[in-house]
């Protein structure tokens, strides 16, 4: 086998500059445009954070009222997009639905030149929750829903359409916090994909579609869904304790643990964990929180590995009544603000992204005629 390349996976290499976030920087932790994640989740809303990322500053009162109004108006789905969504089978993974939905939107509302890139970003951010919930209600219940709602927040809008009932303020705030935690995170795989796509001067819909495809995998955004499937295999703390140890002995990866950048903790974990615990108090199945705690304890003891943001997101979303396959689409909705901000940042100071490679193939190969090949 070829010797593994030093710095494989581009780990630790600086691939560009950003003013959008710091991820685990000494003395800074996780910040969006200089604001600590702890402050943002405590004091702001997801819409305010999206504005911060996309427009470069926190909105003043008037700007914020106007922005929320704009996002509300952008929730409507074009009829042709509804027709496409209604044809996607119930068995399809919701991430594939989002990927198709975003791409179709690019056919119906092409970006053209980049003069209105902020409007394009806001439109995609606002319509993705409508795409997800429209398809869900259509494929699962045969309904043709109106996706304009009066909810001020994307969290409230999403939950009300998904569950066809009015969420509580606590539920809305929990979802809102999760979207803030997911909003931005440096040059992670999906964001780097979006930037690479943007560096070719491609359109915003292509960049976001490519990023959705990248987020889908279980080593990235798909970890929240994979973590839930694992947690649900266990019926008690003891069961989880034994089961995780067996998985570790079998050299299995435990989803929702470890991180490519953080080495001691993921600062989003304590925020999400606190919400999971809070929601568990009124949940039908609070045991899921206890099992999660046990898994976290075993992972610390056995591997000295910490939970990343996706681990307790799984139980928190479960307590909110969100079907497991829709966990990663919520990551998409949050991260779209960061992806689009990165696309704009890349465009503002662009050079096509084109790294070099180390060739490990044969030195030279002798041509063999097709009839003589084995
Ligand atoms: N479960 C068990 N062991 C793990 C682990 C996990 N979740 N994450 C890392 N490890 C182990 C690896 O097996 C490896 O051990 P080794 O040196 O004995 O081979 C070591 O820790 C280093 O891990 P590695 O996969 O090389 O780290 P990475 O930086 O390449 O990958 C992740 C980071 C996030 C992809 C990885 O930790 C992972 O796959 N986690 C699970 C998926 C997940 O939660 N993804 C969401 C990230 S926010």
């Amino acid at each position: 086998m070829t010797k593994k390349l030093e710095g494989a996976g581009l780990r630790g290499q600086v691939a560009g500059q950003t003013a959008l976030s710091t991820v685990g920087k000494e003395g800074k932790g996780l910040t969006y445009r200089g604001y600590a994640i702890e402050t943002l989740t405590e004091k702001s809303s997801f819409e305010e954070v999206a504005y911060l990322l996309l427009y470069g500053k926190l909105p003043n009162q008037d700007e914020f009222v106007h922005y929320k109004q704009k996002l509300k108006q952008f929730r409507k789905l074009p009829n042709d997009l509804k027709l496409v969504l209604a044809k996607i089978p119930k068995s399809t993974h919701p991430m594939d639905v989002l990927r198709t939905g975003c791409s179709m939107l690019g056919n119906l509302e092409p970006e053209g030149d980049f003069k209105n890139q902020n409007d394009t970003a806001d439109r995609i951010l606002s319509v993705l929750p409508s795409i997800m919930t429209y398809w869900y209600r259509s494929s699962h219940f045969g309904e043709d829903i109106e996706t304009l709602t009066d909810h001020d927040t994307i969290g409230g809008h999403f939950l009300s359409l998904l569950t066809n009932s009015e969420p509580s303020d606590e539920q809305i705030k929990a979802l809102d916090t999760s979207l803030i935690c997911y909003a931005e995170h440096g040059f992670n795989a999906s964001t780097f994909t979006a930037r690479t796509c943007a560096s070719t001067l491609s359109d915003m819909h292509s960049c976001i579609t490519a990023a959705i495809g990248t987020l889908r995998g279980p080593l990235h955004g798909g970890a929240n869904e994979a973590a839930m499937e694992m947690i649900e295999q266990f019926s008690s703390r003891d069961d989880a304790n034994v089961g995780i140890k067996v998985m570790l002995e079998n050299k299995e990866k435990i989803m929702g643990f470890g991180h490519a950048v953080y080495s001691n903790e993921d600062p989003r974990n304590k925020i999400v964990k606190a919400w999971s615990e809070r929601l568990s108090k009124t949940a039908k199945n609070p045991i899921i929180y206890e099992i999660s705690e046990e898994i976290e304890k075993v992972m610390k003891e056995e591997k000295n590995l910490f939970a990343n943001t996706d681990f307790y997101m799984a139980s928190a979303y479960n307590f909110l009544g969100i079907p497991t396959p829709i966990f990663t689409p919520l990551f998409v909705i949050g991260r779209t603000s960061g992806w689009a901000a990165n696309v704009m940042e890349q465009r503002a100071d662009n050079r096509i992204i084109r790294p070099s490679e180390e060739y490990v193939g044969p030195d030279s190969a002798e041509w063999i005629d097709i009839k003589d090949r084995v």
Side-chain angles (χ1 to χ4, degrees):
M1 203 174 124
T2 320
K3 197 169 141 278
K4 220 175 183 179
L5 179 72
E6 186 109 348
L10 299 178
R11 200 69 82 257
Q13 298 183 36
V14 175
Q17 295 181 315
T18 183
L20 291 167
S21 61
T22 61
V23 180
K25 285 264 171 311
E26 186 95 45
K28 282 193 173 22
L30 175 60
T31 63
Y32 301 167
R33 292 199 188 274
Y35 295 96
I37 189 69
E38 293 80 5
T39 312
L40 292 172
T41 48
E42 192 197 324
K43 295 190 190 289
S44 75
S45 64
F46 173 62
E47 289 71 19
E48 219 175 343
V49 168
Y51 189 100
L52 170 70
L53 291 168
L54 293 166
Y55 292 84
K57 69 175 197 71
L58 286 172
N60 64 30
Q61 206 131 33
D62 283 353
E63 286 165 338
F64 195 39
V65 169
H66 177 78
Y67 187 56
K68 284 195 286 191
Q69 202 49 41
K70 181 185 184 192
L71 291 179
K72 264 189 192 178
Q73 285 163 1
F74 275 159
R75 287 172 183 166
K76 197 167 172 58
L77 287 174
N79 272 338
D80 285 342
L81 179 48
K82 283 186 176 180
L83 290 174
V84 167
L85 292 172
K87 284 209 178 315
I88 302 178
K90 183 179 174 184
S91 57
T92 304
H93 194 284
M95 284 296 281
D96 299 342
V97 176
L98 277 188
R99 193 189 58 212
T100 299
C102 185
S103 182
M104 181 65 186
L105 189 74
N107 292 318
L108 300 174
E109 301 172 5
E111 190 183 12
D113 61 33
F114 303 155
K115 281 199 199 98
N116 299 318
Q117 58 177 352
N118 268 98
D119 290 343
T120 308
D122 290 337
R123 168 68 166 152
I124 297 174
L125 176 65
S126 189
V127 88
L128 286 178
S130 299
I131 289 175
M132 189 74 281
T133 50
Y134 182 85
W135 168 79
Y136 181 73
R137 297 274 297 277
S138 157
S139 63
H140 286 66
F141 305 105
E143 296 166 326
D144 176 10
I145 60 165
E146 174 49 69
T147 57
L148 280 176
T149 72
D150 243 2
H151 278 279
D152 244 15
T153 62
I154 289 176
H157 168 71
F158 184 89
L159 281 175
S160 71
L161 288 184
L162 183 79
T163 62
N164 195 18
S165 62
E166 281 314 298
S168 68
D169 288 348
E170 184 182 57
Q171 289 172 320
I172 293 173
K173 185 62 200 154
L175 190 58
D176 186 79
T177 306
S178 78
L179 297 178
I180 295 174
C181 286
Y182 275 147
E184 165 57 15
H185 213 230
F187 284 14
N188 58 84
S190 56
T191 301
F192 195 60
T193 299
R195 286 190 84 118
T196 305
C197 189
S199 81
T200 69
L201 301 185
S202 188
D203 65 298
M204 183 75 79
H205 299 88
S206 296
C207 298
I208 304 295
T209 304
I212 294 172
T214 310
L215 190 77
R216 190 191 193 294
L219 295 191
H220 193 7
N224 55 15
E225 176 178 340
M228 192 66 233
E229 283 163 2
M230 175 192 67
I231 295 163
E232 278 178 327
Q233 288 172 22
F234 305 120
S235 55
S236 65
R237 274 187 183 270
D238 289 349
D239 192 19
N241 186 299
V242 174
I244 292 294
K245 286 177 182 162
V246 171
M247 286 174 80
L248 289 175
E249 266 165 37
N250 294 337
K251 302 259 173 269
E252 285 180 53
K253 273 217 168 150
I254 311 300
M255 291 300 153
F257 286 86
H259 202 272
V261 177
Y262 300 123
S263 43
N264 299 319
E265 63 157 357
D266 179 335
R268 301 165 296 181
N269 182 44
K270 57 179 176 304
I271 300 165
V272 178
K273 182 178 177 182
W275 266 107
S276 174
E277 185 181 16
R278 187 165 156 186
L279 294 170
S280 75
K281 306 274 188 234
T282 50
K284 289 192 297 280
N285 49 350
I287 186 73
I288 284 184
Y289 178 77
E290 288 180 35
I291 290 170
S292 302
E293 269 199 322
E294 187 65 26
I295 296 173
E296 189 183 24
K297 190 177 116 237
V298 175
M299 288 301 285
K300 187 78 202 156
E301 286 166 3
E302 299 288 319
K303 294 281 286 185
N304 198 25
L305 278 173
F306 56 91
N308 60 50
T309 192
D310 284 319
F311 186 64
Y312 281 100
M313 205 66 95
S315 47
Y317 281 169
N318 181 283
F319 295 144
L320 288 174
I322 295 164
T324 306
I326 295 185
F327 289 4
T328 316
L330 281 165
F331 193 157
V332 169
I333 291 165
R335 185 59 57 85
T336 296
S337 57
W339 287 335
N342 272 277
V343 167
M344 293 194 264
E345 193 178 56
Q346 180 68 36
R347 286 175 176 176
D349 185 18
N350 187 51
R351 188 172 190 197
I352 190 166
I353 295 174
R354 205 302 184 192
S356 305
E357 60 286 323
E358 181 186 283
Y359 177 69
V360 294
D363 271 346
S364 66
E366 197 109 335
W367 178 256
I368 305 167
D369 200 78
I370 193 162
K371 64 180 182 338
D372 301 322
R373 288 177 214 160
V374 285

